[in-house]
């Protein structure tokens, strides 16, 4: 097994390193084209190129400049995974989220506990479950995303506190399921969550988001567009980790689990004048704004317009048709 995987590391590395010269010889292009990607298979049964996901990632050369699709066969993969900053253009592709599961149990440091850490740019994840099974009591991140131009499709992220550390960069989440209890979508990225299901398992007064924007001139923030927001008990839509925290819910269903006041100030009233917490044409029992805190906003059409398209994350440039599965 070790000899086979060692051979595959060399083979994958050679294929990627030789690709630019092959393209030049054929007047081709380089960089992120899935139609001319290197494809490798991870399979715990031994019928793939690698047994472990991290081994397949390690086989990608530093400074990679083309699409590498790592196809993960069904199974429960018990490993902590890092996609390092110097390995862009990697795709982790499962079969479906219900049977392709990456799991670990860790807690403590927000940067040390993640089951999966994406530090590279131009990453795609699809049809995966990523979970941290530590439970209640400490920070236990399932996924940290700190690369730029990162997208996830049909994935599940499961933990309790700080489930999704949406840390930095521009990110897109489509048709994903995100579950947690305390500040379980947090960080300072510029992210669009479209058609996602966000579910709070907090038993009392948990916050769904803790966005970390630090300046009124920063272009970061979270937009939930056409999403479904549910929970088992009373939850806030968010509270301000950063002084200028920014979160918008638009055209989304808000269940009765959303507390009438909607937002919480993290015991710091000075943030009332700085945060940007907006709602636009949401519906459901939790969307009634009659008892909302007066420092949140009911957005007008013109105020909401910048948040209602992929342009809010510059996505018209990097969410190209060929990148969408």
């Amino acid at each position: 097994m070790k000899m086979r995987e060692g051979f595959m590391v060399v083979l994958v590395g050679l294929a990627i390193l030789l690709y630019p010269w092959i393209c030049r010889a054929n007047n081709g292009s380089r960089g992120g084209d899935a139609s001319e990607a290197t494809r490798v298979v991870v399979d715990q049964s031994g019928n793939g190129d690698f047994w472990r996901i991290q081994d397949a990632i390690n086989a990608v050369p530093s400074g990679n400049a083309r699409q590498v699709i790592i196809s993960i066969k069904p199974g429960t993969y018990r490993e902590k995974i890092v996609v390092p900053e110097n390995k862009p253009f990697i795709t982790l592709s499962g079969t479906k989220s219900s049977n392709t599961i990456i799991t670990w149990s860790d807690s403590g440091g927000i940067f040390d506990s993640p089951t999966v850490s994406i530090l590279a740019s131009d990453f795609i994840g699809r049809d995966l479950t990523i979970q941290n099974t530590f439970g209640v009591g400490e920070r236990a991140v399932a996924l940290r995303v700190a690369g730029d131009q990162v997208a996830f499709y049909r994935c599940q992220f499961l933990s309790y506190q700080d489930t999704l550390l949406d840390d930095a960069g521009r990110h897109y989440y489509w048709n994903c399921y995100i579950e947690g209890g305390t500040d379980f979508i947090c960080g300072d990225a510029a992210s669009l969550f479209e058609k996602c299901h966000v579910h709070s398992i907090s038993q009392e007064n948990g916050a769904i988001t803790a966005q970390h924007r630090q300046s009124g001139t920063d272009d970061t923030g979270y937009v939930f567009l056409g999403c479904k927001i549910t929970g088992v008990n009373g939850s806030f839509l968010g509270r301000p980790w950063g002084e200028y925290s920014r979160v918008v819910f638009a055209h989304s269903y808000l269940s009765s689990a959303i507390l009438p006041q909607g937002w919480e100030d993290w015991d710091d009233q000075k943030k009332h004048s700085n945060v940007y917490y907006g709602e636009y044409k949401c519906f459901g029992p939790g969307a009634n704004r009659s008892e909302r805190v007066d420092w949140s906003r009911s957005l007008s059409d013109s105020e909401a317009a910048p948040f209602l398209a992929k342009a809010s994350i510059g996505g018209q440039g990097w969410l190209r048709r060929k990148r969408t599965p």
Side-chain angles (χ1 to χ4, degrees):
M1 180 177 70
K2 290 183 178 179
M3 290 182 64
R4 178 185 179 184
E5 291 203 350
F7 174 74
M8 284 306 305
V9 169
V10 174
L11 186 62
V12 171
L14 284 173
I16 296 170
L17 288 171
L18 289 173
Y19 175 72
W21 287 272
I22 295 170
C23 282
R24 291 191 189 104
N26 292 281
N27 296 317
S29 60
R30 61 178 296 182
D33 187 347
S35 65
E36 296 182 341
T38 295
R39 298 173 185 268
V40 297
V41 176
V42 178
D43 189 348
Q44 290 181 326
S45 69
N47 294 319
D49 304 309
F50 298 93
W51 292 68
R52 299 174 69 252
I53 299 168
Q54 188 65 57
D55 290 340
I57 295 167
N58 292 345
V60 178
S62 299
N64 170 53
R66 68 166 299 185
Q67 191 71 247
V68 179
I69 298 175
I70 299 172
S71 180
I72 306 168
K73 294 299 183 182
T76 299
Y77 294 82
R78 303 185 186 279
E79 50 180 309
K80 282 174 75 83
I81 292 169
V82 177
V83 179
E85 185 177 1
N86 62 355
K87 296 189 179 185
F89 299 113
I90 288 177
T91 293
L92 295 184
S93 182
T95 304
K96 53 184 178 180
S97 61
S98 61
N99 65 16
T100 312
I101 301 166
I102 305 170
T103 184
W104 198 255
S105 178
D106 205 350
S107 66
I110 199 168
F111 300 127
D112 300 322
S113 64
T115 300
V116 174
S117 296
I118 308 300
L119 310 181
S121 66
D122 295 282
F123 173 90
I124 297 173
R126 59 191 184 210
D127 301 304
L128 300 166
T129 288
I130 299 171
Q131 64 182 18
N132 189 328
T133 60
F134 177 81
V136 180
E138 294 185 47
R139 291 173 164 178
V141 178
L143 172 66
R144 176 191 177 195
V145 188
D148 191 31
Q149 301 182 177
V150 173
F152 287 89
Y153 303 89
R154 299 180 302 273
C155 290
Q156 295 190 97
F157 313 120
L158 312 175
S159 186
Y160 189 83
Q161 184 169 341
D162 301 348
T163 301
L164 172 57
L165 175 54
D166 195 54
D167 190 14
R170 293 168 292 171
H171 309 149
Y172 180 64
Y173 302 86
W174 183 82
N175 199 18
C176 293
Y177 176 83
I178 308 163
E179 180 181 286
T182 302
D183 304 332
F184 62 94
I185 304 174
C186 58
D188 193 18
S191 297
L192 174 60
F193 299 81
E194 188 169 8
K195 298 183 180 179
C196 292
H197 183 182
V198 178
H199 183 67
S200 172
I201 53 175
S202 170
Q203 292 300 313
E204 185 178 13
N205 298 344
I208 292 171
T209 65
Q211 208 279 329
H212 198 43
R213 185 170 176 247
Q214 292 294 301
S215 167
T217 60
D218 291 348
D219 61 0
T220 62
Y222 299 158
V223 178
F224 296 84
L225 179 60
C227 292
K228 179 180 180 181
I229 315 300
T230 61
V232 299
N233 214 328
S235 298
F236 294 105
L237 292 171
R239 60 178 181 167
W241 185 9
E243 293 289 330
Y244 291 82
S245 181
R246 180 163 64 177
V247 182
V248 170
F249 288 84
H251 295 296
S252 293
Y253 171 81
L254 308 183
S255 77
S256 59
I258 302 305
L259 293 164
Q261 56 268 51
W263 307 86
E264 202 261 337
D265 63 10
W266 218 325
D267 298 323
D268 186 358
Q269 295 185 6
K270 292 182 295 184
K271 295 180 180 178
H272 290 185
S273 60
N274 295 333
V275 300
Y276 191 103
Y277 287 156
E279 299 168 54
Y280 178 71
K281 293 187 177 181
C282 292
F283 57 98
N288 186 340
R289 287 189 48 81
S290 62
E291 297 182 48
R292 285 291 195 265
V293 294
D294 59 11
W295 40 274
S296 69
R297 309 172 184 222
S298 179
L299 301 181
S300 66
D301 292 347
S302 60
E303 289 172 328
F307 303 106
L308 302 182
K310 295 179 179 64
S312 65
I313 54 170
Q316 69 275 28
W318 58 273
L319 283 170
R320 302 182 298 275
R321 184 179 298 275
K322 63 184 177 181
R323 295 176 55 86
T324 304

